[in-house]
Every structure is written in structure tokens, then in C-alpha cells.
Amino acid sequence: MSDNLSLVKKAYARLGENVEAGRRLFGRPLTLAEKILVGHLDSIDIPAPERRKTTVELRPDRVAMQDATAQMAVLQFMQSGIPRVRVPATIHCDHLVRAHQGAESDLRIANDENAEVYNFLKDAAAKFGIGFWKPGAGIIHQIVLENYAFPGGLMIGTDSHTVNAGGLGMVAVGVGGADAVDVMVGEPWNLLWPGAIGVKLTGELGGWTSGKDIILKLMDVLTVKGGTNCIVEFFGPGSASVGCTGKATTCNMGAEHGATNSVFPYDQRMAAYLQATGRADVAELADRHQNLLRPDPEVEAAPEEFYDRVIEIDLSKLEPMIAGPHTPDRVRPISQMAKEVKAHDFPDRITFGLIGSCTNSSYEDMGRSAAVATQAKQAGLQMTAHLLVSPGSDQVRDTIARDGQIDALTSIGATLLANACGPCIGQWKRDDEDAGTRNSIINSYNRNFARRADGNPETLSFIASPEIVTALTLAGRLSFNPLTDELQTPDGKSVKLDPPQADELPARGFEAGLSGYLTPAEDGATLEVEINPSSERLQKLAPFLAGDGKDLIDLPLLAQAKGKCTTDHISPAGPWLRFRGHLDNISDNMLNGAVNRFTEESGRGKNVLSGDTGVKFCDIARDYKKRGSGWVVIGDENYGEGSSREHAAMSPRFLGCRAVIVRSFARIHETNLKKQGVLPLVFVDPADYEQAQENDRVSILGIAGLAPGRNLTAVLKHADDTEDRFEVQHSMTAKQIDWYRAGSALNAIRNAMGSQK
């Protein structure tokens, strides 16, 4: 975009000033991520931050928001009273388009069904100085990669897969809407200084392997929480064999192992992508600042001295990988899949293959899938299962329409969907399977939690690269291995697919792809943003009440979640996406997917004040709120894994949640709870999780003396009047404690602004 070059120049000037000071600050050479973070510190005049211990204040270069999360972010921004955003920001309408019949029909229905929300976002963007990308323009992370990301930059986005921009050398971090609001009103952004995981890539990608297989291999190593509060930094000679969009795929799924960000060093594959997407001037700037956009030479020479952990992946030995079902870290090489299908009784028949999403919807992704399709067409083969294709942007779609990849895919039975998230985030209307039918799907997405794609808990979702998805969908079997197995043609011949070959970038350049962008008004002071008071989709926010500073005494235990409890479990998407701008209505989905430890039932529990059982958690919470009682949730490991959706914090807060006590938190969700005035607490002894009983009353003692690093005491009063006491810890800074006392971070900001007038 026209204003991006000046932004990049300013970022590089600051990097140049701060990096040498950063070396002095730490007294050693710096990793790439450290250079970028140091270059964006609000003040360099601080003690050297300690990894995973020190919270710092940073100044991001820009903010990106998708339509589902932008609604709540904008509603919060409207509470601030600030007339115009103070950093560049964009809104991307990609989440609310439901996948059903195909691109044209689905987009027409989306524009009709979501007109109220789209108009609200468009008007707010125009008024407050935010760029607006219309429905169908593309998926947020692909649009950001094509237009805004740049090596050495710092960006936050209200979507966990904002990390996608690490493929272009950017530290890009997924956050909740309240974090975005902080930055848009001109406040610094708080971040726990991350740990450092180095991934050394050797060898070269080839054959059927791609950037997707790098991250799936890493998921096998790190699991869904191994990257939490760390930046994963790739380096080594193998990095050069991965194209820019392949790098982005690898970074994108870093959200699945919990990393704050994943990032690659600047190289000529990035330069080529910048040039191909109309940003040769940015590439020229990056070329001149290469020393700032790579780790220091000493780091690459002796990585074990500078990273907390070093993992090595030999790309030449890497095999295509498949993850699933139900978790993205259940990974095996494709050569083991047939054995696993048999051992675990997975349905071998594939009902759907799905390619695209923010993770794998680039020109190269579509080209490699089309290369498989072209071979199939030449052999007389058609898809055995349904294949759905979601291009990442209108730029990609228009280019692959021109260059023939769309024709190659549709000629063997694929259906082209809109340039939107669709099934990846639960916006999928399936007509083929009855709810509850056990079946297998395979996709090139990033998450495969139960119910996520289609709402059916019996759908087993597997993840692989787009080319592997295409090959397995041709065969119609999970057990098919295109590296070794053959397909039978209609005339009885046996055909073995060759490894796909495709251009990384279009030889004739990309089509323009900017038809969906609206520039904000230069002065939005006279513009109005209307919200119908009777709307079921949009609702003005009222500030949460400030805390009273007192201990929490004898609060009911609303729920104790057993095992995996992601933000999809706490605040499901799918049909609930339509209420993302209406806090009261969307709160009816609160904890719908959480598994009750005491009953094994999902989304339901006991109202300990009325004695009723089998009641929806949201209805119990509303009853407690009506009676004037707050309540507490207890969770297991990595509580709040998954999407950045702050509704998973706002809905509990709205319905009366005062504290969440867990064995461990996922990073974004813990921050979201802090932002909304809920105490996020962690068992000092994880075994204390087992002490809870269904009828417990919970007290949290020591709140009057709440301070950084000071533990609190939790008391579980059981029905027989016995008690269990144990320590709980928190990670709140002094500033975050101010948020809690003010009732929310936004309250604290508004209070501070009021005192400055």
C-alpha cells in the first residue's frame, strides 16, 4: 500500500538505532527475534529483559483484525473516546462467509446475511481511519502477506494465526481485541519477553514435501504447548530451499504449538515475493539492511549458546506428514498412516478433502495441488471424495484463474469456494452426513479439534499439505500413500502419481487483486456508526465494574474442565460467529464444549445454589449472576489453547467469572483474562487440581496485597465442611494488577486519559 514504504523506512531507522544498543544491553550478539523486539521497545533505557520472566512495552508497526474479532475490538475502541487510530490498522472480512454451494452463491448469501455487521465494520473503519477489506477480498493473513508484512517489522493481529507473517521475516503476534485497542489508542503493547527456540534447517525440500511438513514435524517434537511464550526462529542452509509462502505456512501453524511467533531470516526468496507483489522498493530497503534482518553471525555459528533449545530438521530426509484426529500434534509420516488407520479403526474412506485456509492458499499451494489434478485428468481419473478449494485472496484466485490451476482442479470434480476461511473455522454447511456419523476428512488447515470444521464430534479431521490432500482425496482413502501406491484408472490401468512440480511465483506476475479494498475517510469526525438497540448481532458495550480489592469468599465452582479445553470449547465458533458483536447473545455458548470432570458431560453441570443438575454452564452462570454471586472455573493443562478469540474471556467476565485456576494457560487466553479483569491463577502444585469437588465453594485470599510475584491462597470448602488450602500463582505485572483493580484494561486506560484532561 502507498503508506507502507514510509512505515518500513521508519522501522528500519529505529532498528538501526536500537540493535547496537541492544547488544550492549544484553552484552552479547542477538538472535533475529531479539533484534526485532529491541527495535520496537517503547524505551531502550531498561534493564536487559529476562526470557519468559520480564514483561516489556513495545510499539508495533501496525494492527490487523478479521471480521469476527474486529467487531468486539471496534466496540471496545469506541469506548475509548479516541477519534482516530494512532497506528495503521486494517479490517478483513473473511470469517463470516459460510462454505456451502460455491464461491459465487456463498458470497452472495454472506453479503445478505451479514449486511448489518459488514456495514458496521465498514462505517467504523471509515470513521476511525482503518483500512477495510470487503468480503471475498481474501483471508486476513494472505492479504497481510501480500500487502503489509515486511522483514523486521512488528505487528499484532486479533487472530492467533497472525504469526503467518513470520514467513516474510516479521514478528507478528496474535492477540485479543483489547490488546489491539491498546495499540490503536496509542498505548504501548505489553509482552512477556519470549524464550528462544532455534530450528536449524539443513538439506533441501523436494518431491512431495513442503513447508507444511516442516511444521507438522515440529508439532510432533514440541506438541501443542512446547512453544508457549517462546519465539521459534528458523535458521540454517535449508531455509533457502523454502519459498516465502512455504515459510509462511510453517510460521502459521506455530500457533498450534503455542509460540508467541515464528520467524525466518530475510533471504532472496522473500525478496522475490516482495517484488512479485509490487513491493520492489521494500525489497530494496531490506537488501540494504540485511544485517538487521538475520541473527548475528555468532548466533548462527554457535546456536546452542544463544537459544534455549535447538532442534535440527534435515529437509532432505523429511517425509510428508499427516496429523490428527482431534489435535494437531498427533503426527506421523505418511508411510505409517495405513498402519494407524488399521490400528485405531479410523474410517479409511475420506468423505471430504479441503485445501486452502490462511495456512495453505498461496499461488504455490494451488499450483502443487493443480499439478496432481493435471496428472489425474490425463489418466482419466476423477475425485473419489468431495474436494473443496479456498484460494487465499482475490489476487491468488484471479491469477490461478488466468494460469489454469482452477480449471485443472475443477476438471476433476473440485468445488471452488470463496476467498475466505470457511470450513477451517467452522463456517461449513455440510449436506452429505447426518450429525453424529463417524467419518474422516483431510485438509490443509491448521486446527482439527473435534467439532471445529462441521460441528460433528464424530468427524475425524486430519491435516496434511494441499498436494497430499489432493492425492488422498483422489484415492478416497486415508491409507493411500502417493509416494508408493498406485491408482486404478477407469480402463483398468495402474497409475502412480509423480511428485508435483509448480512455480513458486507466477511467471507473468500476479493479477492486481485490490478490488476489495476501501480507503478510510481522511476526516471521519462527521461520520456516524449506527448500532440498532434491538439488534441481535451488535450491542454497545458497557464497562465492566471495577473491583473492590477484597478477597473472593465462598464463590461457587461453576465448572472444572477435564483435559483439553481450547477457546473452541470455551466459546465455540461455527453458528455462534453471528453473535461476535453481541456480548450478551454470544455468552449463551460459554463453556459449551468443556468436558465436566465430575460427569464427563460436555457443556453442562450442577447449579450448587439450586441443586439442579445437567444444566448448561451458561444458564448456571446467569442464575449465579442474577443472585449477585460471582463464580470460579478450574481448568487443566494449556487451558485456552487455540484461537485468540477474546470472547472466551469476555463471556465468562460478563456472566460473573471472578477467577480461573488452571494447571497451565495458553499465552493469548491468559492475557485476555487479564485484560478483562478476571484473575488468571495457576496451581503451584498441579496435583491440587485433583482436590476439587463438584459442590465446592472457592475462596481466593490475599487480594488486598496483590503484587507481582506474590502468591495467593486458594481455599476449597467442601460440602462436608472440610477444606483444602493451597497456593496459586499469577504472572501479573503492576500494570496488569491495575487493570484488574479497574475492572478491565480498557477501564484503566480510560481512567488514565480522564485524569490527563
Side-chain angles (χ1 to χ4, degrees):
M1 307 304 292
S2 59
D3 66 339
N4 211 41
L5 184 61
S6 61
L7 185 154
V8 177
K9 288 180 177 178
K10 290 177 182 176
Y12 286 172
R14 189 164 184 181
L15 274 174
E17 293 172 2
N18 282 13
V19 164
E20 186 55 44
R23 293 191 187 103
R24 292 193 299 270
L25 183 68
F26 286 95
R28 58 170 173 77
L30 301 178
T31 69
L32 170 58
E34 287 171 337
K35 288 181 178 182
I36 297 173
L37 294 178
V38 162
H40 290 82
L41 283 170
D42 187 43
S43 172
I44 193 72
D45 187 22
I46 60 171
E50 292 186 64
R51 290 177 179 173
R52 303 179 75 175
K53 291 183 179 179
T54 305
T55 297
V56 297
E57 295 192 329
L58 299 161
R59 292 287 180 177
D61 297 308
R62 67 181 316 116
V63 174
M65 298 170 282
Q66 40 93 337
D67 51 352
T69 53
Q71 295 171 64
M72 199 57 71
V74 167
L75 288 165
Q76 290 177 89
F77 181 83
M78 290 169 66
Q79 281 189 299
S80 73
I82 301 296
R84 194 173 181 87
V85 295
R86 293 177 175 172
V87 297
T90 49
I91 292 172
H92 305 258
C93 295
D94 63 355
H95 271 55
L96 298 178
V97 181
R98 187 168 60 247
H100 185 206
Q101 297 176 328
E104 185 176 346
S105 173
D106 293 346
L107 195 57
R108 184 175 62 251
I109 292 170
N111 276 309
D112 180 55
E113 290 181 341
N114 304 312
E116 178 185 17
V117 171
Y118 291 152
N119 287 334
F120 165 73
L121 292 174
K122 176 170 63 68
D123 292 347
K127 180 176 179 61
F128 298 123
I130 303 169
F132 182 78
W133 290 84
K134 295 188 290 186
I139 302 172
I140 176 172
H141 310 304
Q142 184 68 26
I143 293 289
V144 165
L145 200 71
E146 292 172 354
N147 296 278
Y148 302 116
F150 65 92
L154 175 66
M155 179 180 73
I156 61 171
T158 60
D159 188 285
S160 57
H161 294 104
T162 300
V163 292
N164 189 81
L168 202 41
M170 195 173 203
V171 170
V173 183
V175 298
D179 271 338
V181 172
D182 281 1
V183 174
M184 290 192 294
V185 302
E187 289 287 303
W189 171 55
N190 281 251
L191 177 70
L192 183 68
W193 193 266
I197 298 174
V199 179
K200 183 177 182 179
L201 301 179
T202 60
E204 293 185 8
L205 286 177
W208 284 91
T209 57
S210 67
K212 187 74 162 197
D213 302 303
I214 299 173
I215 185 56
L216 291 179
K217 177 64 177 177
L218 196 55
M219 287 301 306
D220 187 41
V221 175
L222 290 177
T223 76
V224 292
K225 61 180 182 178
T228 302
N229 289 321
C230 292
I231 286 183
V232 173
E233 191 171 310
F234 295 90
F235 67 98
S239 176
S241 77
V242 188
C244 182
T245 52
K247 289 178 169 77
T249 292
T250 303
C251 292
N252 180 293
M253 274 194 70
E256 274 41 82
H257 54 62
T260 302
N261 173 250
S262 299
V263 65
F264 278 84
Y266 178 69
D267 63 13
Q268 289 309 298
R269 305 293 282 268
M270 295 184 190
Y273 184 78
L274 286 167
Q275 292 159 359
T277 51
R279 293 171 288 170
D281 47 5
V282 175
E284 183 181 344
L285 271 177
D287 284 341
R288 296 207 305 263
H289 294 88
Q290 287 192 52
N291 64 312
L292 300 175
L293 307 177
R294 301 187 62 85
D296 282 333
E298 298 90 337
V299 175
E300 292 191 88
E304 291 81 5
E305 296 180 17
F306 298 95
Y307 297 107
D308 302 325
R309 179 181 183 184
V310 176
I311 300 164
E312 186 167 337
I313 299 176
D314 184 344
L315 302 182
S316 298
K317 297 179 180 178
L318 188 62
E319 187 178 337
M321 313 291 282
I322 298 179
H326 301 328
T327 185
D329 62 350
R330 187 176 181 179
V331 182
R332 79 286 289 170
I334 195 169
S335 59
Q336 299 298 311
M337 193 66 206
K339 184 189 299 182
E340 291 231 354
V341 168
K342 186 175 182 179
H344 299 287
D345 194 29
F346 299 146
D348 192 26
R349 183 179 75 87
I350 293 171
T351 57
F352 268 91
L354 308 100
I355 62 174
S357 86
C358 66
T359 320
N360 280 106
S361 56
S362 69
Y363 183 84
E364 184 178 19
D365 290 325
M366 296 294 139
R368 287 174 68 84
S369 293
V372 175
T374 298
Q375 294 183 60
K377 179 69 174 177
Q378 291 170 348
L381 296 168
Q382 288 281 308
M383 284 293 165
T384 304
H386 305 285
L387 180 67
L388 304 181
V389 180
S390 304
S393 67
D394 58 355
Q395 178 168 281
V396 169
R397 182 204 59 216
D398 292 351
T399 307
I400 62 176
R402 181 198 69 194
D403 292 351
Q405 290 92 333
I406 288 179
D407 286 345
L409 289 162
T410 56
S411 70
I412 59 167
T415 298
L416 188 70
L417 299 177
N419 315 317
C421 301
C424 183
I425 47 90
Q427 286 285 69
W428 183 19
K429 185 176 180 181
R430 284 186 72 170
D431 296 324
D432 67 309
E433 297 282 335
D434 293 332
T437 301
R438 195 165 186 261
N439 72 105
S440 293
I441 64 173
I442 188 163
N443 60 74
S444 67
Y445 302 161
N446 40 49
R447 292 193 176 127
N448 56 351
F449 306 143
R451 303 175 185 263
R452 181 175 173 91
D454 59 4
N456 179 5
E458 294 300 321
T459 293
L460 277 60
S461 179
F462 295 85
I463 300 173
S465 68
E467 52 267 44
I468 291 295
V469 170
T470 305
L472 267 62
T473 309
L474 268 171
R477 294 181 285 113
L478 276 178
S479 57
F480 177 70
N481 181 358
L483 283 71
T484 58
D485 299 346
E486 295 181 334
L487 293 169
Q488 298 299 310
T489 66
D491 58 3
K493 295 180 181 178
S494 295
V495 175
K496 185 171 178 292
L497 297 170
D498 294 326
Q501 300 290 325
D503 291 336
E504 176 186 344
L505 298 168
R508 291 188 286 162
F510 283 106
E511 292 294 298
L514 288 175
S515 60
Y517 179 73
L518 298 179
T519 303
E522 290 188 15
D523 182 1
T526 61
L527 301 179
E528 296 294 330
V529 180
E530 299 291 341
I531 298 177
N532 185 338
S534 61
S535 172
E536 69 165 14
R537 301 210 44 187
L538 295 167
Q539 180 188 51
K540 286 185 178 180
L541 291 176
F544 292 130
L545 295 178
D548 59 12
K550 297 179 181 179
D551 290 344
L552 306 180
I553 303 297
D554 288 346
L555 302 186
L557 174 60
L558 177 81
Q560 182 170 21
K562 178 181 178 181
K564 186 184 284 286
C565 191
T566 71
T567 50
D568 277 68
H569 294 83
I570 304 167
S571 181
W576 293 96
L577 280 171
R578 69 186 186 276
F579 296 132
R580 283 289 183 87
H582 198 293
L583 184 55
D584 196 354
N585 284 346
I586 200 169
S587 295
D588 283 335
N589 75 357
M590 189 194 71
L591 293 168
N592 272 7
V595 177
N596 186 332
R597 176 182 168 232
F598 307 113
T599 66
E600 301 289 332
E601 190 176 12
S602 293
R604 294 176 182 269
K606 180 178 181 179
N607 184 326
V608 299
L609 300 186
S610 70
D612 295 334
T613 59
V615 184
K616 289 182 179 180
F617 286 131
C618 62
D619 291 338
I620 300 172
R622 288 187 185 277
D623 182 59
Y624 291 167
K625 182 179 180 180
K626 185 178 179 181
R627 296 170 186 256
S629 174
W631 44 269
V632 174
V633 168
I634 292 177
D636 211 322
E637 295 279 1
N638 208 32
Y639 184 84
E641 170 193 342
S643 298
S644 68
R645 64 190 67 161
E646 64 183 338
H647 300 74
M650 293 188 79
S651 287
R653 176 70 164 104
F654 176 72
L655 294 182
C657 183
R658 304 297 302 278
V660 178
I661 312 172
V662 300
R663 282 174 160 158
S664 65
F665 280 110
R667 176 188 62 84
I668 301 176
H669 185 62
E670 181 179 20
T671 299
N672 286 343
L673 290 170
K674 293 176 183 178
K675 288 283 185 179
Q676 302 304 335
V678 178
L679 273 177
L681 304 172
V682 176
F683 295 104
V684 171
D685 180 356
D688 287 327
Y689 168 91
E690 307 290 345
Q691 306 286 356
Q693 298 176 20
E694 188 173 29
N695 294 301
D696 281 352
R697 298 299 186 92
V698 185
S699 298
I700 309 294
L701 309 180
I703 290 176
L706 189 61
R710 183 179 297 173
N711 290 351
L712 301 175
T713 299
V715 181
L716 300 180
K717 184 184 291 184
H718 307 308
D720 61 2
D721 288 332
T722 61
E723 292 183 352
D724 280 298
R725 288 176 174 253
F726 46 83
E727 279 191 283
V728 289
Q729 58 193 351
H730 66 88
S731 62
M732 290 188 290
T733 64
K735 185 173 185 177
Q736 292 165 351
I737 290 170
D738 288 342
W739 300 344
Y740 172 71
R741 291 189 170 131
S744 71
L746 188 56
N747 286 358
I749 291 172
R750 191 168 46 246
N751 293 345
M753 288 180 174
S755 67
Q756 293 168 11
K757 291 181 180 179

